[in-house]
Amino acid sequence: MTAASASPLRLGIAGLGTVGIGVVKIIQRHADLLAARSGRPVVITAVSARDRTKNRDADLSNYAWEVDPVTLATRDDVDVFVELMGGHEGAARAATEAALAAGKDVVTANKALLAHHGHALAEMAETAGRVIRFEAAVAGGIPVIKALTEGLAGNQIRRVMGVMNGTCNYILTRMETAGLPYDTVFEEARQLGYLEADPNLDVGGIDAGHKLAILAAIAFGTKVSFDDVVLEGIGRISIDDIRRAGDMGYKIKLLGVAQMTGRGLEQRMTPCLVPDSSPLGQLQGGTNMVVLEGDSVGQIVLRGAGAGEGPTASAVMGDVLDLARGLRLPTFGQPAATLSTPVAAVASAPAAYYLRLQLMDKPGALAKVATVLGDAGVSISRMRQYGHADTSAPVLIVTHKTTRDAIDVAIARFPATNVVEGEPVAIRIEEV
């Protein structure tokens, strides 16, 4: 049987925003190529979006239109429900559950849906004999889900790490290269359309935290536990921090790290310092990068576009073609019943820290700071003092490996010394 004579794989697409239209364009532009690669035609039978009258720069006249995505998801002429609406409740969740209940496979780019309801949806899919594919939900066009579930399936994963929000990386690198403060670059990113409608999803680390929770579940065989991800955004990072970190050989990134430790599953999406010579340190603009470490393969680095019409639609189509080829895997790489409930690590692994203090020009000021750090169990590796501004001056300290608890104890004691102005800044230095 040739691809042309094989039964087509019929898609119903809910959500015709940037990604949805990108998928439509790929199918229209590469119909013959998709059929040749998958062994059967891939066609769109129906679509759904909130506004039918909107000009979407694509010909949708040959597709049935459904106002209700739940109705779309249950149509008899739909084999695969492609959910590109977004949001972890409401229409996206209802339509996805309806599709599975109706015996449809699901392809989605919705990281929030999976971060909040991934395990329940995985159980529902397996009960129905269906699969959920979601390459586009994490890191855009980078095939990191496929890498973990297929290419690295023979490895025990030691650590997952990466820059997974292009907007935050754009803001931080733009601050560095242009010497602009955070507020200015934030507004610039908003004007360019880089920020979500709720900007805190980006700059607060929530969007990237969703992605990290999904990767951690696959990497360590656990149920998705987004509520256990430690989140800290980039709003407190100043141009001074970026410059001072650069002076000491580091770049600041919103970095996600997940690893299984003796204390439990550690998941954090926080600003970190990384060596400026490392692949993560050299990452510029809106690009994403994910670093995977396995016991057999060692460290591999995946880099590429983390968002946008083409890259994300490319990831959606990779999942669609796998289904067309008959490739069927459990949602998180192993049966949902075998996924363990993770114990959240109560503290992160020890690391060096960058401390920035505004130190008053008083006799013995440095000695008092060193004493407080020592009493908290924090030892100093390097220290640099900059020129005085009136009655105080910035002091940078790089510690030896210590715990965040010890750093917090020291910071809480600094006011009693009467030599530290303002609130100190502490940023973890991640080994990469």
Side-chain angles (χ1 to χ4, degrees), residues 255-279:
L255 190 66
V257 179
Q259 56 190 344
M260 188 65 75
T261 72
R263 299 172 305 280
L265 178 60
E266 183 179 332
Q267 302 177 93
R268 46 188 164 79
M269 183 62 66
T270 61
C272 290
L273 269 65
V274 297
D276 56 15
S277 60
S278 67

Side-chain angles (χ1 to χ4, degrees), residues 97-378:
E97 291 175 345
L100 295 172
K104 319 292 185 182
D105 293 320
V106 172
V107 173
T108 181
N110 193 335
K111 62 259 183 189
L113 180 68
L114 293 165
H116 288 276
H117 306 295
H119 188 72
L121 290 172
E123 289 182 321
M124 188 174 182
E126 290 177 22
T127 299
R130 299 293 92 192
V131 296
I132 303 172
R133 306 280 298 189
F134 52 93
E135 187 67 70
V138 179
I142 302 174
V144 62
I145 304 298
K146 185 177 282 286
L148 278 173
T149 56
E150 298 179 45
L152 302 182
N155 286 256
Q156 182 177 37
I157 302 300
R158 292 173 172 164
R159 183 169 63 158
V160 175
M161 176 170 55
V163 170
M164 303 177 201
N165 184 277
T167 299
C168 286
N169 203 53
Y170 167 82
I171 289 173
L172 292 173
T173 56
R174 175 75 172 149
M175 288 172 67
E176 177 193 3
T177 56
L180 295 172
Y182 172 82
D183 289 344
T184 300
V185 180
F186 175 92
E187 181 59 25
E188 181 182 280
R190 190 184 68 80
Q191 294 287 346
L192 290 169
Y194 291 171
L195 289 163
E196 297 275 2
D198 176 3
N200 195 49
L201 290 173
D202 286 317
V203 298
I206 297 170
D207 167 85
H210 288 151
K211 300 170 187 177
L212 182 68
I214 293 168
L215 292 181
I218 299 170
F220 304 111
T222 63
K223 299 175 185 178
V224 183
S225 54
F226 171 69
D227 289 343
D228 294 328
V229 178
V230 175
L231 295 176
E232 181 185 343
I234 63 171
R236 292 188 64 230
I237 302 300
S238 71
I239 185 63
D240 285 339
D241 289 320
I242 290 174
R243 288 171 175 161
R244 306 309 188 206
D247 288 347
M248 303 185 85
Y250 296 104
K251 295 290 179 64
I252 299 179
K253 301 292 180 184
L254 180 67
L255 190 66
V257 179
Q259 56 190 344
M260 188 65 75
T261 72
R263 299 172 305 280
L265 178 60
E266 183 179 332
Q267 302 177 93
R268 46 188 164 79
M269 183 62 66
T270 61
C272 290
L273 269 65
V274 297
D276 56 15
S277 60
S278 67
L280 284 165
Q282 295 176 23
L283 190 68
Q284 298 290 311
T287 309
N288 281 198
M289 181 176 287
V290 182
V291 180
L292 306 174
E293 296 176 358
D295 62 342
S296 296
V297 75
Q299 186 181 92
I300 65 170
V301 178
L302 303 173
R303 176 185 181 276
E309 176 183 307
T312 311
S314 168
V316 169
M317 289 308 303
D319 283 342
V320 168
L321 260 64
D322 275 349
L323 292 175
R325 293 166 175 150
L327 179 61
R328 311 184 67 78
L329 297 173
T331 304
F332 294 102
Q334 63 188 68
T338 68
L339 298 172
S340 62
T341 300
V343 175
V346 294
S348 57
Y353 279 82
Y354 157 99
L355 284 175
R356 175 170 59 83
L357 312 173
Q358 193 69 19
L359 201 62
M360 296 181 188
D361 185 13
K362 293 183 177 181
L366 278 174
K368 290 182 178 180
V369 166
T371 298
V372 167
L373 290 169
D375 289 346
V378 179

